[in-house]
Amino acid sequence: MKKIILIIFLVAQVNALMAQGKNSKIANLRSFDERPLHFGFLIGINTMDFRVYNSGVTPPSDPDGNLYYADVLDLTPGLNIGIVSSYKLRENLNLRFLPGISFGQRNMTYIKYDKDGNFLEREESFKIKSTFLEFPLLLKYNAFRMHNAKPYLIGGFNTRYDLAKDKQDKLLLTSLDGYLEFGAGFDFYLTYFRLSVEARMSIGLADMLNHDGTGEPGDEVYTEALDKLKSRIFSLTFYFE
């Protein structure tokens, strides 16, 4: 992952230096923003998280009356790739459809207390992996271009379908969720293409916890200890258009 990001950064820097060496006063891709429709691809990294709603009561399947509290205590980077379709609605406003696939995981940790609230143990974290098909439909509001750079804001709605929802241990997730998305970024106009760097936050709207559980003996307590799980995803994405 680090190598991919380093390569992207070096390509952008070399391209920018070549452009400056030719003529730093001439703007690159001067007619780019006048096109009604253009395409490209994206690659990025993400971190997936849960907003965990603990039940705060003893799970019925625990005979000792213990309490369980869960959380995602560490974040693991993932990968997202996709294609870009951008349509110009009006000056400084574009509608963008960015279908793609993303890979990531969340590490859930359960802490066990006895019925009097005394700490008993912290269980080893287990991985909840996700492979999302995603279909973001976003509005991009552009600021005025500053020579070969331009800041922008972006927001909209994303539908994600998890292909790995049946391959989990201890917890089972639902497959479909809708996300509100918002973020900001910069467009850089290079010699032969436009490179965009964008940070975006995704807030899941649905309860991702399948309350039926995995069906495996001993896993019931992990589902019963929770009221619901709501997804949170942060991504840093590079666009090539």
Side-chain angles (χ1 to χ4, degrees):
M1 185 70 65
K2 292 180 180 179
K3 290 181 179 179
I4 292 173
I5 302 304
L6 179 60
I7 291 171
I8 293 172
F9 178 77
L10 291 176
V11 168
Q13 291 300 313
V14 170
N15 196 297
L17 290 173
M18 290 174 61
Q20 292 176 2
K22 291 178 180 179
N23 193 336
S24 60
K25 295 182 180 180
I26 297 178
N28 298 323
L29 304 175
R30 284 174 288 178
S31 63
F32 187 93
D33 293 328
E34 302 305 318
R35 302 175 189 171
L37 184 66
H38 60 263
F39 303 94
F41 68 94
L42 64 91
I43 184 171
I45 56 176
N46 65 69
T47 55
M48 298 183 180
D49 194 7
F50 280 129
R51 182 176 180 183
V52 180
Y53 295 81
N54 289 283
S55 67
V57 298
T58 300
S61 59
D62 190 314
D64 298 323
N66 295 316
L67 298 173
Y68 294 79
Y69 290 90
D71 205 351
V72 179
L73 299 182
D74 57 274
L75 300 177
T76 303
L79 175 69
N80 51 287
I81 54 178
I83 58 176
V84 178
S85 301
S86 183
Y87 178 70
K88 184 178 180 180
L89 296 175
R90 53 177 295 181
E91 190 70 23
N92 296 335
L93 186 65
N94 290 74
L95 179 66
R96 292 167 70 81
F97 182 51
L98 311 170
I101 188 168
S102 59
F103 309 89
Q105 73 178 47
R106 304 166 175 96
N107 301 325
M108 286 285 290
T109 302
Y110 281 78
I111 299 175
K112 185 189 296 187
Y113 297 86
D114 64 22
K115 57 185 177 181
D116 296 322
N118 299 312
F119 172 79
L120 294 177
E121 64 175 331
R122 169 180 166 177
E123 295 193 4
E124 184 178 353
S125 298
F126 60 91
K127 300 176 182 178
I128 301 177
K129 296 184 178 181
S130 293
T131 301
F132 286 117
L133 293 178
E134 52 184 62
F135 306 93
L137 188 62
L138 308 173
L139 286 174
K140 178 182 177 183
Y141 178 75
N142 306 289
F144 291 104
R145 178 170 171 172
M146 303 175 292
H147 193 46
N148 284 326
K150 181 179 63 179
Y152 65 85
L153 298 175
I154 196 160
F157 189 79
N158 191 352
T159 301
R160 287 186 171 94
Y161 183 85
D162 191 355
L163 299 175
K165 59 115 179 163
D166 293 327
K167 301 178 181 179
Q168 309 296 347
D169 294 325
K170 299 184 180 181
L171 283 179
L172 193 63
L173 304 182
T174 59
S175 58
L176 189 65
D177 195 6
Y179 292 76
L180 293 178
E181 305 210 334
F182 55 90
F186 265 91
D187 292 329
F188 298 99
Y189 296 82
L190 307 181
T191 307
Y192 302 109
F193 61 92
R194 186 178 73 182
L195 170 66
S196 303
V197 182
E198 176 185 296
R200 189 177 351 139
M201 185 68 190
S202 303
I203 300 177
L205 301 179
D207 178 10
M208 293 298 293
L209 179 65
N210 186 328
H211 293 270
D212 293 333
T214 63
E216 295 293 329
D219 285 353
E220 299 91 344
V221 64
Y222 300 106
T223 300
E224 294 167 353
L226 303 176
D227 275 340
K228 55 186 174 180
L229 292 173
K230 289 199 172 183
S231 185
R232 300 286 187 268
I233 301 175
F234 175 81
S235 58
L236 178 66
T237 308
F238 301 86
Y239 299 88
F240 299 84
E241 304 172 55

